């Protein structure tokens, strides 16, 4: 069958892309006006400099930079830029730019191929009228450049009658330690690990939180279901997220709690905060219990909730989640929030249970011993403050079903090393996000 003109020029752009030397993506661009090819371009470093495929690594990969960010660290001149600088602006007025992006390894067309924001500015100033992108062999998408101009090069979403810009999520580019990442994956049979440098105790949680936020925006897609545990590292993750108004998520909580002292990091609070960072059309399923000092009401609600259809439905939603973000805590005074709650629950003698049951850590206020056995039911007083939606056995089962479920452990700190090691060896997570010092302690323990 004879291809259309658009298909012909996109096929040409694809052939041009094969000349690209980028080891992440291969892009090719063709500028056409009145059926005349004005210029072609592909991505690669400036003339007479060493090609990236000869160097063997990408500096932006080494820095852990996401797609679409920090092109000042990129050696390449983009395909669109190379095509534009080879043609006169007078010739390009009203022209069409055809663009194809290929995976550097498989050479398949990429569904998310788009001009970066720098290239969009050049396309506008070149006078080009349309950009046609070949996202697959039988599918294209077209951008009218005048719409970019009207929106000042930003994408907007209408919320309650107002246009709100969809801002690109920015990271602070803490470098990812590839050597430690590889060793952690091998040691604990993980699907992935992110290891970042933490410079001080004060910024440790913030740095790991930013790394977790970077993982979130890179991997979590619109339509995904996300479940959250309690904890300050999960709170730091959400605080580090920029406004992701394009993400429409289903958000669930791993437990239902009622301790006023920790309400800022309780799952009900965290799922609400996450929804505030995403599309208003995201759905949250969960609730917060009344505080313990409302004893009669609190006990009655807990008893009714434990056997209610609501809890059963929430549990099914949690167990079907695509992503589960969990924190890990120690069970001593260094974990102030959990320690205070546990002490209050058992009448000030939680140390007795720690020694008797060999408890070393907790996930979502559920405790486990030095071989990863769930001991929560043997400390029944803990249920005064919460109703568990899913058990540690549920979490372990989900973690064993990768890539259907991504159980992401976000944790850092010397006081958590033993708990983290046992949790990883017990299979409570298949992705780890932590600091370089944490990785060293885990690998040497």
């Amino acid at each position: 069958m004879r291809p259309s003109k658009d298909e012909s020029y996109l096929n040409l752009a694809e052939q041009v892309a094969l000349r690209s030397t980028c080891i992440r993506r291969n892009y090719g661009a063709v500028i056409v006006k009145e059926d005349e090819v004005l210029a072609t371009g592909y991505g690669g470093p400036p003339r007479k400099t060493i090609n990236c495929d000869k160097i063997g690594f990408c500096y932006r990969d080494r820095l852990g930079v996401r797609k679409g960010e920090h092109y000042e660290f990129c050696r390449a001149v983009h395909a669109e830029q190379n095509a534009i600088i080879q043609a006169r602006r007078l010739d390009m007025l009203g022209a069409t730019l055809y663009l194809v992006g290929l995976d550097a390894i498989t050479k398949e067309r990429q569904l998310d191929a788009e001009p970066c924001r720098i290239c969009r500015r050049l396309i506008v100033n070149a006078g080009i009228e349309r950009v046609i992108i070949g996202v697959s062999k039988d599918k294209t998408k077209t951008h009218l450049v005048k719409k970019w101009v009207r929106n000042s090069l930003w994408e907007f979403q209408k919320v309650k009658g107002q246009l709100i810009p969809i801002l690109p999520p920015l990271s602070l580019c803490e470098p990812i330690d590839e050597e430690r990442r590889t060793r952690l994956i091998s040691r604990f049979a993980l699907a992935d690990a992110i290891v970042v440098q933490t410079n001080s105790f004060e910024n440790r949680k913030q740095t790991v939180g930013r790394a977790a936020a970077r993982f979130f925006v890179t991997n979590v897609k619109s339509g995904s279901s996300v479940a959250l545990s309690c904890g300050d590292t999960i709170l730091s993750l959400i605080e580090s997220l920029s406004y992701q108004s394009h993400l429409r998520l289903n958000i669930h909580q791993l437990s239902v709690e009622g301790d006023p002292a920790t309400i800022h990091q309780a799952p009900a609070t965290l799922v609400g905060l996450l929804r505030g960072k995403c599309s208003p059309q995201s759905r949250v399923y969960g609730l917060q219990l009344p505080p313990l000092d409302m004893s009669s009401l609190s006990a009655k609600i807990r008893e009714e909730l434990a056997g209610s259809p609501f809890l059963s439905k929430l549990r099914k939603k949690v167990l079907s989640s695509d992503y589960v973000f969990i924190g890990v805590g120690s069970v001593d005074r260094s974990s102030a929030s959990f320690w205070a709650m546990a002490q209050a629950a058992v009448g000030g003698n939680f140390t007795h249970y720690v020694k008797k049951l060999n408890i070393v850590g907790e996930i979502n206020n559920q405790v486990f011993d030095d071989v990863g056995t769930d001991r929560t039911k043997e400390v029944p007083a803990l249920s005064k403050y919460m109703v568990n939606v899913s058990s540690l056995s549920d979490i372990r089962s989900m973690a064993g079903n990768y890539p259907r479920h991504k159980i992401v452990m976000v944790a850092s700190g010397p006081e958590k090393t033993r708990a983290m090691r046992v949790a990883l060896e017990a299979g409570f997570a298949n992705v780890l996000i932590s600091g370089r010092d944490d990785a060293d302690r885990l690998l040497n323990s």
Side-chain angles (χ1 to χ4, degrees):
M1 182 182 296
R2 185 187 186 195
S4 67
K5 291 182 179 180
D6 284 346
E7 290 172 335
S8 297
Y9 295 131
L10 287 171
N11 289 337
L12 176 57
E14 181 172 350
Q15 290 300 308
V16 172
L18 295 176
R19 289 280 300 160
S20 173
T21 59
C22 176
I23 62 176
R24 287 173 62 134
R25 295 284 183 93
N26 300 150
Y27 276 85
V30 177
I31 301 175
V32 178
K33 182 178 180 181
E34 296 178 354
D35 289 333
E36 179 183 355
V37 175
L38 303 180
T40 63
Y42 56 85
R47 295 177 187 270
K48 299 183 180 180
T49 63
I50 302 175
N51 289 330
C52 296
D53 57 355
K54 298 297 183 184
I55 295 176
F57 71 89
C58 173
Y59 190 50
R60 291 174 74 238
D61 272 344
R62 288 283 178 90
L63 291 174
V65 177
R66 297 190 299 264
K67 179 181 182 294
E69 291 185 18
H70 294 290
Y71 282 113
E72 66 270 23
F73 297 119
C74 179
R75 301 179 64 248
V77 182
H78 289 188
E80 306 93 307
Q81 298 167 6
N82 273 324
I84 288 171
I85 63 178
Q86 295 183 71
R88 295 192 312 160
R89 184 176 188 276
L90 184 63
D91 294 333
M92 289 187 288
L93 295 176
T96 298
L97 186 146
Y98 293 88
L99 182 69
V100 169
L102 307 177
D103 182 273
I105 298 175
T106 65
K107 303 304 179 184
E108 294 180 353
R109 290 191 184 184
Q110 298 299 287
L111 296 176
D112 59 349
E114 288 282 351
C116 74
R117 297 188 184 278
I118 297 174
C119 287
R120 289 189 180 203
R121 298 171 203 163
L122 295 178
I123 290 169
V124 169
N125 274 10
I128 291 170
E129 187 174 282
R130 293 186 307 162
V131 175
I132 298 178
I133 304 171
V135 296
S136 66
K137 286 293 186 180
D138 56 358
K139 185 177 179 181
T140 65
K141 55 183 173 182
T142 301
H143 292 297
L144 298 179
V145 177
K146 65 181 180 181
K147 287 189 176 181
W148 293 351
V149 176
R150 186 186 313 145
N151 292 340
S152 299
L153 294 176
W154 295 106
E155 295 178 7
F156 286 79
Q157 178 176 356
K158 184 171 288 188
V159 178
K160 295 182 179 180
Q162 292 184 329
L163 288 178
I164 298 177
I166 301 175
L167 301 178
L170 296 179
S171 64
L172 297 185
C173 286
E174 292 90 359
I176 294 177
D177 191 315
E178 289 294 337
E179 187 266 336
R180 288 173 174 83
R181 170 182 177 270
T182 301
R183 291 175 61 195
L184 284 170
I185 291 173
S186 176
R187 166 74 184 276
F188 296 106
L190 297 169
D192 198 3
I194 296 176
V195 181
V196 292
Q197 176 64 53
T198 52
N199 297 318
S200 67
F201 176 81
E202 288 74 19
N203 82 342
R204 185 182 68 210
K205 291 177 182 177
Q206 289 78 9
T207 303
V208 172
R210 284 195 297 268
R214 183 165 63 197
F215 174 90
F216 188 99
V217 299
T218 303
N219 292 278
V220 179
K221 307 301 182 185
S222 189
S224 298
S225 55
V226 177
L228 303 177
S229 79
C230 58
D232 50 7
T233 52
I234 307 301
L235 175 61
S236 181
L237 182 168
I238 298 170
E239 289 176 336
S240 300
L241 284 174
S242 59
Y243 184 45
Q244 304 290 305
S245 61
H246 62 290
L247 279 183
R248 182 187 300 179
L249 303 178
N250 295 303
I251 310 170
H252 319 304
Q253 59 191 79
L254 287 182
S255 66
V256 183
E257 302 181 11
D259 183 8
T262 59
I263 194 170
H264 63 291
Q265 59 186 35
T269 302
L270 297 181
V271 296
L273 290 174
L274 179 58
R275 184 185 182 278
K277 291 292 184 80
C278 301
S279 166
Q281 295 178 323
S282 295
R283 295 182 178 181
V284 171
Y285 198 82
L287 82 163
Q288 178 76 21
L289 289 174
L292 187 63
D293 54 12
M294 298 174 63
S295 56
S296 60
L297 176 61
S298 179
K300 183 178 179 180
I301 290 178
R302 281 170 172 74
E303 182 179 344
E304 292 180 353
L305 179 62
S308 70
F310 173 89
L311 193 67
S312 176
K313 185 176 181 180
L314 178 55
R315 184 173 184 272
K316 288 181 180 179
K317 289 181 178 293
V318 167
L319 296 183
S320 65
S321 295
D322 302 303
Y323 294 87
V324 179
F325 290 86
I326 59 173
V328 176
S330 59
V331 288
D332 55 28
R333 295 181 187 275
S334 63
S335 182
S337 297
F338 175 79
W339 177 258
M341 184 273 289
Q343 282 286 82
V346 300
N349 195 23
F350 185 62
T351 303
H352 165 74
Y353 288 94
V354 171
K355 293 179 179 179
K356 178 183 177 181
L357 302 174
N358 294 321
I359 296 172
V360 299
E362 58 86 18
I363 295 175
N364 203 49
N365 294 331
Q366 299 181 74
V367 295
F368 54 89
D369 64 17
D370 54 355
V371 293
T373 303
D374 187 350
R375 296 286 193 164
T376 309
K377 291 183 179 180
E378 296 173 67
V379 193
L382 290 177
S383 63
K384 293 180 181 179
Y385 286 90
M386 65 179 182
V387 175
N388 289 319
V389 176
S390 60
S391 66
L392 291 180
S393 296
D394 293 329
I395 298 299
R396 178 163 32 212
S397 177
M398 294 174 72
N401 190 10
Y402 181 90
R404 172 62 185 88
H405 305 291
K406 291 84 172 176
I407 313 300
V408 186
M409 180 188 295
V410 186
S412 179
E415 74 283 0
K416 298 181 179 182
T417 300
R418 189 182 182 194
M420 291 169 62
R421 177 182 59 78
V422 172
L424 290 171
E425 290 175 344
F428 290 139
N430 49 38
V431 178
L432 172 66
I433 302 176
S434 197
R436 184 180 297 177
D437 292 342
D438 302 292
D440 288 339
R441 287 189 292 268
L442 287 169
L443 292 168
N444 294 327
S445 61

